[in-house]
Amino acid sequence: MPIGSSLLSWPLLLVAGTLGVAAGVGGYAFAYAKGTSYLGNDPATCANCHVMSGQYEAWQQSSHHAFATCNDCHTPAAPVGKYLTKAENGYHHSMAFTIGGFPDVIRARAGSREVVEGQCRHCHAAVVDAMTAGGEVSCIRCHASVGHLR
Amino acid sequence: NVAEKKSEARNPTVRVVELTDDTEDPAVWGKNFPAEYDLYKRTTDMVRTKHGGSEAIPHTPTAQDPRTVTSQSKTDADPRLKTMWAGYAFAADFREERGHAYTLDDQIFTQRQVVAKQPGTCGQCHASVYVPMKKLGNGDIFKGFEALNKMPYSEAKQHFKHPVSCIDCHDSQTMALRVTRPGFIEGIRAFKASQGVQNYDPNTMATRQEMRAYVCGQCHVEYYFKGPEKRLTFPWSKGMKADQIVAYYDEVGFRDWTHKETGAPTLKAQHPEFEMWNQGIHARSGVACADCHMPYMRVGGTKVSDHWVRSPVLNLNRACQGCHKWPEEELKARVEAIQDKHLELREQAFDALVALIGDLKAAKEAGKTDAELEKARFLQRRAQFLFDFVEAENSTGFHAPQEAARVLFESIDASRQGQLTLRDPSFKPTVAVVTIPPPPPAPAPGIQPAALTK
Amino acid sequence: NVAEKKSEARNPTVRVVELTDDTEDPAVWGKNFPAEYDLYKRTTDMVRTKHGGSEAIPHTPTAQDPRTVTSQSKTDADPRLKTMWAGYAFAADFREERGHAYTLDDQIFTQRQVVAKQPGTCGQCHASVYVPMKKLGNGDIFKGFEALNKMPYSEAKQHFKHPVSCIDCHDSQTMALRVTRPGFIEGIRAFKASQGVQNYDPNTMATRQEMRAYVCGQCHVEYYFKGPEKRLTFPWSKGMKADQIVAYYDEVGFRDWTHKETGAPTLKAQHPEFEMWNQGIHARSGVACADCHMPYMRVGGTKVSDHWVRSPVLNLNRACQGCHKWPEEELKARVEAIQDKHLELREQAFDALVALIGDLKAAKEAGKTDAELEKARFLQRRAQFLFDFVEAENSTGFHAPQEAARVLFESIDASRQGQLTLRDPSFKPTVAVVTIPPPPPAPAPGIQPAALTK
Ligand SMILES: [Ca+2]
Ligand SMILES: [Ca+2]
């Protein structure tokens, strides 16, 4: 099971998700900035937010452009986890985008990093079986560029 | 507000005024580019980092120096500097550098202007000289450059209206970066020629990324004033490394001044940030000055370059995290780890240099002849230039840690060998001793001997 | 064939034999892990890089030394090494190191075994000693360690069957990494204690990533043999930096031997890769030895660690490009740029050290007393240890460029100050001179004085 989903707390996420869609400012941003994009899989919709455009361009240049879209890496594979993570991201990003206060150079939160790590293992289970036998190892320590050419 | 941000993003530059190649005043440019201008004005702010930035020190205004705030005096903080520069204007006043807003004032009011008559050349790096050069040269900046160089500073000053300003780095029509300083154009041409590239012209042949360092390399470089016409010259024709530069000075037989205590034909190095950066892994990786000192930031919905040029340690998220995903605290610790290690060597190399100066002074007072002192004096010249090169470089080792350590290694070796030659006339230094001719006797009219300028 | 790969992938480890904590022979492990074993066997290959790798030199077998191939002799290539080690076994034979397959043979057949009687302790890093230690200690590796340490090498050798092998790094049941060497366990405990962490145990407290360096740190470290029982000791209780280590030796009054030409109480440094790496930016970034020297590679459908442990310059694609997107040629050029700069300082520091040794020798021959020579001898000890620390470190500066330059800086300063004290008895060195006691008179039975071991 992807590591990421185990770390997210259910009640907190439900609240966050609800807020993200319904609450005043967040809701406006969500609708105006084509927040419904969170529900689909088209990477271009992530880039509706211009702050995502750098990552979008870097994704287009990356080795995974042909294999994986944003959600393949940034949301857990399990169906419930996927929409919860989207809700959480949606809330977080709408709030951040509207109110500001986020850094100019965005950095992944620890939780989203774990989601990504889980997704690597999800797709590459066969290949990394032997190496992960011993337990914790971070994929993006060595493969930082697979999703976004850096 | 999302709607506002979207419209800003679509329309980043509303041209409210017409800029020409003669528009000097940054406030006028600021009408078209308010974000950049507002940031540019913030270069007045003074914030200290562990080893950089700057600190506001209150100053009681006097007639000669009306500033109410200056930066800390380095010569007071470390008196070894006065020993190293004995007999030279720098011993009188040398301060921590601060933001671009102060470039002109700090030059005009430094005590170095009092103890020595400075030439107009100085203005090249402290004032907005593009328009003045054009005017003085009737449209030819090289002619204007020559005219300004030759004036005494007090006369040249009349032509200076602004500190470094938009037009010094930008083309008014396209806003493209542009090199406006003849000194850099000539210097980089000589450097490229040493690498086998002939007739190099940065304004037509450099990439945009290179220009993001070249505009800084117009000023953040080692230089000297060549000949009686005081032509601002970047000594790069043998290469940009400290030893290549000192070899150049040996070859042309140049000295900045004669050391008061020892009689050595000494050289002063200044702010070789461009040269040091050039030796480091960031330059090698194509990371330019502007990437760290003017990183992109969001203003409203647009991305602008942070024209509040300052220490990246005050701006780690934008300056570093685009490339390095480490937390800010960790990035700061990395910078400081490099700098602290660097300072350890700097301390030791400095003590060795001061010890050599002390030994030389004693030997001279004890009546040793010029011939007997020649080797040690030459080694002082070398040890000091190499030390000063690293000392004057303002990143405290960060721009090229291994190279900075290498230069300090060469410096301490020269100091210790100097001490050895004084105790043992048969000691053979590992570098060939070059005879430096005496300084030219007749100063150019209105200007003090080279011995007192810079 | 895709189907085959898929099945390999699903079943990467078919256990065909039962491994136990007593299975010494790598060929047996190889039945379960053929990919790792095949790669492990390739450590016999000898390929040269600009400054590393190794070169196969044909050798005419003799009774004492039956090897048909050795690596190049460093003492022949650079005779200054013989001057530096005069009176010590290293002067007789010191070669470029090569792959893990040779660890045992190269130790057995080095001329150092001929010119001096070596202790059993040596085996710790050249043979698979885990099972022998267990047997000799009745299950307690620390007891077995003590037993082996005390034997003469010729006796200990009877217990050695393999060069460094699977069981030295792995747990046979889980294949997890494991530290098996008491020397490392005690050394890292002392080091962590110096950092305020008590009772550190790498096998239970280290992360997996740390273990990817710790298993190497069992051997690629500076060491000495403590006391008459020749306990293998890593001198880390004051820290792992070269100066902290030499301060430790000063404090315990240890010398490896007495320099034949000068009488100085000298120290030999050995392969401090782990300590140097620890000072570099890669260690700080969590990049372990195995990341570069055993990078992952694809074999069939799975990823395995490349057990062909060798120079990463021979394997740039896997060793570096995961993290650095530069072309291989550029990566190679970066390694070499660091190394070339490093070697420049190395040359100069070496010449200074040899000059000090020459001056000291002359002074001794001229009849100077021990008291008159004490300062210079102490400075020789220090200059040499610091120089040798960097020289013996096998990455030619790469593992920590700024730190390596710093250590060479300290070394040349000590050499030059040594030369100064000889010419001027009133010269005060900047480091406190410590009196090193004479070596213990009575050698342990069967073993030569400390003066001739290592
Ligand atoms: Ca400053
Ligand atoms: Ca080798």
Side-chain angles (χ1 to χ4, degrees), chain B residues 375-387:
Chain B
K375 284 196 285 189
R377 281 176 174 159
F378 179 77
L379 288 162
Q380 179 193 337
R381 166 187 168 96
R382 177 165 289 249
Q384 139 145 11
F385 182 78
L386 296 175
F387 173 79

Side-chain angles (χ1 to χ4, degrees), chain B residues 198-414:
Chain B
Q198 300 306 323
N199 300 319
Y200 186 80
D201 174 5
N203 281 322
T204 57
M205 295 159 85
T207 63
R208 171 173 165 192
Q209 185 61 13
E210 286 170 334
M211 289 303 276
R212 291 166 56 88
Y214 285 0
V215 290
C216 318
Q218 302 184 94
C219 302
H220 289 268
V221 293
E222 160 61 4
Y223 68 91
Y224 79 119
F225 301 145
K226 191 176 180 174
E229 59 294 341
K230 301 278 164 213
R231 193 178 194 88
L232 177 63
T233 306
F234 300 174
W236 296 342
S237 62
K238 289 176 177 291
M240 280 191 200
K241 288 162 80 173
D243 359 30
Q244 293 166 327
I245 292 179
V246 79
Y248 168 93
Y249 285 132
D250 288 350
E251 188 175 287
V252 301
F254 180 77
R255 72 174 81 195
D256 271 306
W257 87 109
T258 303
H259 196 271
K260 203 173 76 182
E261 296 177 356
T262 68
T266 19
L267 295 165
K268 171 84 190 79
Q270 285 99 345
H271 34 73
E273 280 90 55
F274 184 75
E275 294 92 331
M276 265 301 189
W277 160 80
N278 201 44
Q279 299 303 317
I281 194 78
H282 282 105
R284 174 135 206 165
S285 305
V287 186
C289 320
D291 289 322
C292 300
H293 291 281
M294 301 181 67
Y296 288 113
M297 63 184 293
R298 261 190 310 269
V299 174
T302 48
K303 263 189 169 176
V304 303
S305 300
D306 189 348
H307 281 63
W308 181 9
V309 178
R310 64 187 145 144
S311 164
V313 175
L314 300 170
N315 202 7
L316 291 161
N317 171 263
R318 296 180 190 119
C320 319
Q321 288 184 326
C323 297
H324 300 288
K325 297 285 159 198
W326 312 106
E328 292 191 25
E329 271 317 298
E330 170 61 14
L331 284 164
K332 187 156 162 279
R334 287 180 185 209
V335 173
E336 292 176 2
I338 291 170
Q339 293 180 327
D340 289 346
K341 195 166 277 199
H342 174 82
L343 283 176
E344 220 184 297
L345 305 191
R346 180 249 184 210
E347 278 307 297
Q348 219 166 306
F350 206 174
D351 281 346
L353 174 61
V354 168
L356 168 61
I357 292 174
D359 288 351
L360 246 170
K361 190 178 166 205
K364 197 177 152 220
E365 284 165 1
K368 288 258 169 81
T369 65
D370 283 352
E372 287 168 322
L373 298 176
E374 191 192 8
K375 284 196 285 189
R377 281 176 174 159
F378 179 77
L379 288 162
Q380 179 193 337
R381 166 187 168 96
R382 177 165 289 249
Q384 139 145 11
F385 182 78
L386 296 175
F387 173 79
D388 209 1
F389 196 85
V390 164
E391 169 66 10
E393 207 282 330
N394 285 292
S395 74
T396 321
F398 178 83
H399 290 147
Q402 188 195 21
E403 172 69 3
R406 186 188 73 81
V407 176
L408 287 173
F409 173 105
E410 299 287 351
S411 172
I412 200 168
D413 191 24

